Amino acid sequence: MSGQRRRPTVKEVAVRAGVSPMTVSRTLAGGVNVTPELQQRVLAAVAELGYHRDENARSIRPGQPSGLIGVAITNIANPYYSTFALGVEEEAARTGRRILLGNTAEDPVREAQLVGDFLGRRVEGLIVVPTGVSSDHLEHARHSGVPVVLASRRVAGLVADSVVLDDEDGALRGTSALLEAGHTRIAYLGNIRRIFTGERRYRGFVRAHREHGIELDPRLVAEGQQEVEQAARAMRALLELDDPPTAVFCANNRNTIGAVTEIGRQISSAGRRALDLPELMSFDDFELSGLMPVPVSVIAHDPRELGRRAAALLLGRLEDAGDAAPRELELPVTLLRRTRRATD
């Protein structure tokens, strides 16, 4: 004898609680279809016996679901995506599932490798913020019986459930608010246009100018900024123009933070007044956005809710694996307008 204490079994927990083994399993998987009274009895028996599931054995048992969901995001350093992942995790946890989180850095090769790693770990489903270049690896997952949900972006030609934002209308409303406030030279700070959200948000920005009869100066359009430092450099170049913009539309929060970083540098090192610097419109909110040195209006939405909706689509697909048509959700956004104070 090794002297090690034998682990209690599900059957022993069931006997102690006076329920079936299935009720024990359902309780430990989130309590779906189990009454609160029975859940309390099971949890009390678990605590008394010191029971816990052997996840390693569970993961390698032939035919047994892994209880894992693979989640691929594009920028793990962006708090937006950590909040999104939290929403996914909360929804998955209701069914006793856990998430594996990976970062693609907007690299399609890394995305394909990450999806392959997830499939190797026998995930039950995938939630992907796609780079949008290729969908072969996602098609492979679907044909292997692993459902895929696209979040924030869609991929042309890929038939899959998806949840995105109303990007074009949000950009249209945000830019229109600046135009209606009297701004005629509005710059655009955005990421790569080929990205689903980048193309849609730029389209809304252009459409607002067209609908208001304002000609867009191409020198005010800066694209391709994926990181804060890149956006700060692009903002500096805009401010150095002979006729700089009086307002800037930022296509995501990383571009907004870069713009604010450069504005702060201009105030501290060049001695410029905040009143002389452009106000900002940000697609995506971020912490302390209301305390910036210049007004930062926001096209707001809840990334946590985006994550919940994506997870709900996936869980629904896992429960109903039929060939139903893909479900495409588009979540609304809200314009939070902030203007300069009278004392500025």
Side-chain angles (χ1 to χ4, degrees):
M1 296 292 290
S2 64
Q4 292 182 341
R5 181 183 176 187
R6 184 181 63 83
R7 289 178 176 174
T9 65
V10 169
K11 289 183 178 180
E12 289 171 337
V13 173
V15 170
R16 176 67 64 93
V19 299
S20 69
M22 179 62 72
T23 299
V24 174
S25 297
R26 286 178 176 172
T27 298
L28 297 177
V32 178
N33 298 325
V34 181
T35 66
E37 188 269 334
L38 289 182
Q39 289 186 51
Q40 288 297 324
R41 282 162 51 186
V42 169
L43 294 176
V46 165
E48 290 171 10
L49 295 175
Y51 171 82
H52 63 85
R53 291 184 289 185
D54 186 341
E55 295 294 342
N56 287 331
R58 180 173 179 252
S59 67
I60 62 175
R61 190 176 301 143
Q64 177 73 26
S66 68
L68 298 174
I69 292 172
V71 181
I73 60 176
T74 59
N75 187 351
I76 204 166
N78 188 343
Y80 178 94
Y81 285 116
S82 61
T83 306
F84 165 81
L86 181 61
V88 173
E89 184 176 45
E90 289 173 342
E91 191 70 18
R94 295 195 312 105
T95 63
R97 292 179 171 89
R98 298 293 179 261
I99 69 171
L100 298 177
L101 182 65
N103 180 58
T104 68
E106 295 287 7
D107 182 343
V109 175
R110 287 180 62 174
E111 180 184 299
Q113 291 172 340
L114 182 60
V115 168
D117 288 344
F118 285 156
L119 295 178
R121 286 165 172 74
R122 294 177 46 216
V123 295
E124 294 183 41
L126 293 166
I127 295 175
V128 180
V129 179
T131 59
V133 175
S134 172
S135 62
D136 291 347
H137 52 293
L138 299 177
E139 289 282 11
H140 171 71
R142 290 182 62 252
H143 292 314
S144 299
V146 177
V148 176
V149 172
L150 305 179
S152 186
R153 307 168 181 175
R154 296 187 180 119
V155 178
L158 179 63
V159 179
D161 296 334
S162 63
V163 54
V164 301
L165 301 172
D166 195 351
D167 298 290
E168 183 174 348
D169 184 66
L172 170 67
R173 289 164 56 198
T175 308
S176 295
L178 293 174
L179 291 166
E180 290 161 8
H183 296 286
T184 57
R185 290 186 59 75
I186 304 173
Y188 178 89
L189 280 182
N191 52 10
I192 302 170
R193 185 96 62 87
R194 66 167 170 76
I195 293 174
F196 180 84
T197 51
E199 191 276 331
R200 281 161 50 106
R201 293 173 191 179
Y202 181 73
R203 193 165 64 211
F205 175 78
V206 172
R207 183 177 152 198
H209 281 79
R210 184 173 63 248
E211 292 184 0
H212 286 78
I214 302 295
E215 185 177 355
L216 177 60
D217 185 346
R219 295 178 302 164
L220 298 181
V221 176
E223 298 178 278
Q225 299 83 233
Q226 298 294 106
E227 299 295 339
V228 168
E229 296 79 9
Q230 295 172 321
R233 289 194 296 270
M235 184 68 180
R236 185 178 313 142
L238 289 169
L239 294 176
E240 290 173 352
L241 292 172
D242 292 337
D243 190 6
T246 61
V248 180
F249 177 90
C250 303
N252 59 30
N253 61 1
R254 307 308 281 172
N255 276 275
T256 308
I257 294 171
V260 169
T261 299
E262 178 57 25
I263 285 174
R265 191 191 70 81
Q266 296 264 339
I267 291 173
S268 61
S269 65
R272 299 184 65 172
R273 298 185 307 157
L275 190 62
D276 298 329
L277 293 163
E279 66 171 291
L280 306 178
M281 176 70 67
S282 173
F283 202 117
D284 299 337
D285 204 350
F286 59 96
E287 289 185 357
L288 305 181
S289 62
L291 301 178
M292 297 297 103
V294 296
V296 180
S297 298
V298 170
I299 301 161
H301 56 279
D302 184 358
R304 196 165 179 170
E305 180 63 17
L306 184 71
R308 290 192 192 104
R309 292 293 191 95
L313 283 176
L314 182 62
L315 295 172
R317 188 63 72 182
L318 289 171
E319 292 176 4
D320 180 12
D323 293 328
R327 291 160 288 186
E328 298 183 343
L329 303 182
E330 189 163 282
L331 304 184
V333 295
T334 302
L335 175 60
L336 304 177
R337 188 77 174 96
R338 299 185 180 115
T339 57
R340 297 187 190 276
R341 299 182 299 274
T343 55
D344 285 348

